[in-house]
DNA sequence: ATTCTGACA
DNA sequence: TGTCAGAA
């Protein structure tokens, strides 16, 4: 077995890996972090960012809201705030959050199979 | 080579 | 969002 550094641990991804997954430039991910308090990758080794799978999931949802549904930064931020708030309510609203995510995933799937090879919808 | 921060367009 | 400078 080879040595496992934090940066090579499959549980954590660096900004370059995440940028390829969500198909946005690294500096855009840093900008989103300033706008979305929900995204908080941990920093180590100085300032290196290490994203958890959950962070990537949130980033994927943000890209969908911004590029596919053409939400504004404020609109997407509120949408995510409401989603997390619904989950935090805990009053049997967990299903609401799952339903919301399923709706976004379904819409995203339609975009991917609509015949347009470009997921983000712009270049 | 890769990423970071801050700043400007 | 894109690009640059200077540093780690």
């Amino acid at each position: 077995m080879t040595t496992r550094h934090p940066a090579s641990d499959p549980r954590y991804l660096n900004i370059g890996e995440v940028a390829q997954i969500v198909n946005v430039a690294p500096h855009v991910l840093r900008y989103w972090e300033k706008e979305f308090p929900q995204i908080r990758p941990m920093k180590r080794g100085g300032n290196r960012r290490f994203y958890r799978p959950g962070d990537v999931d949130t980033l994927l949802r943000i890209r969908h809201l911004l590029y596919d549904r053409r939400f504004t930064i404020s609109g997407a931020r509120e949408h995510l705030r409401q989603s997390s708030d619904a989950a935090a309510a805990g009053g049997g609203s967990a299903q609401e959050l799952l339903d919301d995510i399923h709706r976004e995933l379904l819409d995203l799937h339609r975009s991917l199979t609509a015949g347009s090879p470009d997921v983000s919808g712009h270049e």
Side-chain angles (χ1 to χ4, degrees), chain A residues 16-121:
Chain A
E17 293 293 329
V18 178
Q20 292 179 65
I21 294 172
V22 308
N23 196 32
V24 296
H27 81 264
V28 175
L29 294 180
R30 297 189 193 104
Y31 171 63
W32 286 358
E33 286 175 44
K34 298 173 187 173
E35 304 301 326
F36 300 92
Q38 246 47 67
I39 302 179
R40 300 187 298 268
M42 51 250 45
K43 293 182 177 180
R44 295 195 61 170
N47 291 320
R48 277 1 218 217
R49 289 174 172 72
F50 289 95
Y51 298 80
R52 289 187 287 81
D55 294 320
V56 178
D57 197 55
T58 302
L59 257 10
L60 250 16
R61 292 179 63 199
I62 290 175
R63 187 196 58 176
H64 175 232
L65 294 172
L66 261 33
Y67 299 164
D68 189 64
R69 301 196 70 173
R70 301 183 72 110
F71 272 44
T72 60
I73 294 293
S74 300
R77 183 194 302 131
E78 289 305 293
H79 182 91
L80 291 180
R81 187 188 64 72
Q82 290 175 40
S83 297
S84 60
D85 186 61
S93 302
Q95 188 60 46
E96 291 297 306
L97 176 59
L98 291 178
D99 184 67
D100 181 55
I101 295 175
H102 280 170
R103 179 177 176 178
E104 291 180 9
L105 251 30
L106 241 44
D107 196 25
L108 177 59
H109 179 255
R110 289 184 62 188
S111 299
L112 262 42
T113 58
S116 300
D118 184 23
V119 180
S120 43

